[in-house]
Amino acid sequence: MHTDTRDRRPHAAELKFLVSPDEGDAIRTWARAHLTADPHGSGPHADQYTTTTLYTDTPDQDVYRRQGSYGRSKYRVRRYGSSDVVFLERKLRTQSLLSKRRSIIPIDALARLADTASADAPWIGEWFTGRLAARGLSPVCQVTYCRTARVTQTPYGLARLTVDDGLAARPISQWGYEAPLYEPALVGQQIVELKYIVAMPAVFKRLVETFSLEPMTVSKYRFSVAALGVV
């Protein structure tokens, strides 16, 4: 496993939709008939996993308010299931480019993120702590949800469909995964995402037409902050 990866995708698209639980169930059934299971999934259909993410923001909530460059990038720490490793992530989006950088660290090393001025030997998370310090970011909430993921191969690379439900959040102020005392962040709705490069695959077009899906701006972080009442 690579401990540090960078992914630059010109002309990458992410379409998001809000659907009812019944629509979400129907889309899962449809996707399982037309797409391949995500290689990292588990469960009876080998396509599900739980994601728990620590999101960061400034004291003035510049990320939430999408102020300047804060509206184009997110710095977060992501954990899959009960894994003993986590991913330090920067996601940057412009009109024509989606860029991601990820580094894997043991979950026990999370405390090092708080020490941005450490004189210890260089470590793989140094780039992440440097950016947190430069941008005035600190952990503000822990967000969790259950994801169903299916994929298909296209001439431009892998395309991915996800359905997320059970979005919930809790406030945090330190680096670490806290006990699950969550507030529901999206009641009665689920989030469908389509991710692809250059051109929408024909199978995604059929999905959109079949379920009359309308794309919209959706942010799990913004839903979570609003639900926690910390805006």
Side-chain angles (χ1 to χ4, degrees), residues 118-195:
S118 173
D120 291 346
W123 70 298
I124 196 169
E126 198 166 20
W127 70 270
F128 191 79
T129 56
R131 296 308 297 160
L132 295 181
R135 298 178 69 79
L137 298 168
S138 59
V140 293
C141 67
Q142 176 175 307
V143 177
T144 189
Y145 53 89
C146 180
R147 167 162 285 183
T148 303
R150 309 290 293 190
V151 299
T152 186
Q153 190 64 48
T154 79
Y156 308 102
L158 203 65
R160 198 158 179 255
L161 174 149
T162 58
V163 185
D164 299 333
D165 69 333
L167 184 69
R170 62 164 296 158
I172 59 171
S173 59
Q174 302 181 50
W175 289 111
Y177 284 84
E178 304 290 341
L181 302 174
Y182 290 108
E183 289 288 339
L186 189 62
V187 178
Q189 291 180 302
Q190 298 180 10
I191 301 171
V192 176
E193 295 185 31
L194 303 179
K195 302 178 182 180

Side-chain angles (χ1 to χ4, degrees), residues 16-135:
K16 300 183 181 183
F17 314 87
L18 287 178
V19 300
S20 69
D22 287 344
E23 289 172 320
D25 288 342
I27 289 171
R28 286 185 186 86
T29 300
W30 189 97
R32 286 165 178 158
H34 294 85
L35 301 169
T36 304
D38 185 287
H40 304 292
S42 60
H45 299 281
D47 61 0
Q48 292 186 310
Y49 52 87
T50 300
T51 298
T52 308
T53 304
L54 310 181
Y55 281 95
T56 65
D57 209 333
T58 69
D60 292 330
Q61 298 181 314
D62 293 307
V63 177
Y64 175 84
R65 302 181 190 282
R66 296 177 174 147
Q67 297 292 326
S69 63
Y70 291 93
R72 298 189 295 273
S73 63
K74 286 189 175 73
Y75 290 81
R76 61 199 184 190
V77 178
R78 181 157 286 179
R79 186 185 189 189
Y80 296 99
S82 57
S83 175
D84 58 0
V85 300
V86 296
F87 295 81
L88 312 179
E89 295 186 349
R90 182 206 61 192
K91 181 179 180 181
L92 173 66
R93 169 169 286 286
T94 67
Q95 273 193 322
S96 60
L97 176 71
L98 174 65
S99 175
K100 290 185 179 180
R101 181 175 182 182
R102 296 180 115 197
S103 296
I104 305 173
I105 65 169
I107 195 168
D108 294 341
L110 271 176
R112 296 192 67 175
L113 299 182
D115 190 4
T116 57
S118 173
D120 291 346
W123 70 298
I124 196 169
E126 198 166 20
W127 70 270
F128 191 79
T129 56
R131 296 308 297 160
L132 295 181
R135 298 178 69 79

Side-chain angles (χ1 to χ4, degrees), residues 17-19 23 27 192 194 207-215:
F17 314 87
L18 287 178
V19 300
E23 289 172 320
I27 289 171
V192 176
L194 303 179
L207 171 74
V208 171
E209 293 171 358
T210 298
F211 293 95
S212 301
L213 299 178
E214 294 290 339

